[in-house]
Amino acid sequence: PKVKSLSYLDQLTLFTYAEEQGCDEILTVNREGYVLEGAFSNVFFEENDTLYFMDPSLPYYEGLTQERLIQSSKKVDFVKITPDELKGK
């Protein structure tokens, strides 16, 4: 089940690692290699006038910003995507 936790230790550890590597954020993936989310952000992209979000069947936490974007967007779709497939989007 998707449970929000009061502990952000895992996210802070990931974010600190990303900063040490010169990155602004880090993507988390599941065992199958699909992108789930960032340490402190949801992942989405726009292509051909459609906003794409990670498939809700994946184990990530849907954020308030994501919810509002979905509600206010005309064209929305959900995908399972790997980091390599996400490059350039």
Side-chain angles (χ1 to χ4, degrees):
K2 296 178 182 181
V3 177
K4 287 268 186 178
S5 170
L6 296 178
S7 173
Y8 285 99
L9 182 59
D10 290 341
Q11 289 89 342
L12 284 171
T13 302
L14 289 169
F15 189 74
T16 300
Y17 176 78
E19 283 187 321
E20 290 169 355
Q21 305 306 308
C23 301
D24 296 321
E25 177 63 287
I26 191 166
L27 294 178
T28 59
V29 298
N30 67 2
R31 290 181 180 160
E32 289 79 28
Y34 294 119
V35 173
L36 301 177
E37 59 193 350
F40 290 105
S41 60
N42 289 120
V43 176
F44 63 94
F45 61 94
E46 185 272 334
E47 187 173 70
N48 300 324
D49 296 323
T50 300
L51 274 181
Y52 291 89
F53 297 90
M54 301 307 99
D55 191 298
S57 69
L58 295 170
Y60 71 94
Y61 301 111
E62 299 166 14
L64 181 59
T65 301
Q66 176 177 327
E67 180 182 322
R68 289 189 176 162
L69 284 170
I70 289 171
Q71 291 172 352
S72 65
S73 297
K74 292 182 181 179
K75 293 172 80 177
V76 174
D77 204 353
F78 299 91
V79 295
K80 291 183 179 180
I81 193 166
T82 66
D84 284 340
E85 294 168 331
L86 189 59
K87 286 180 185 176
K89 298 228 181 253

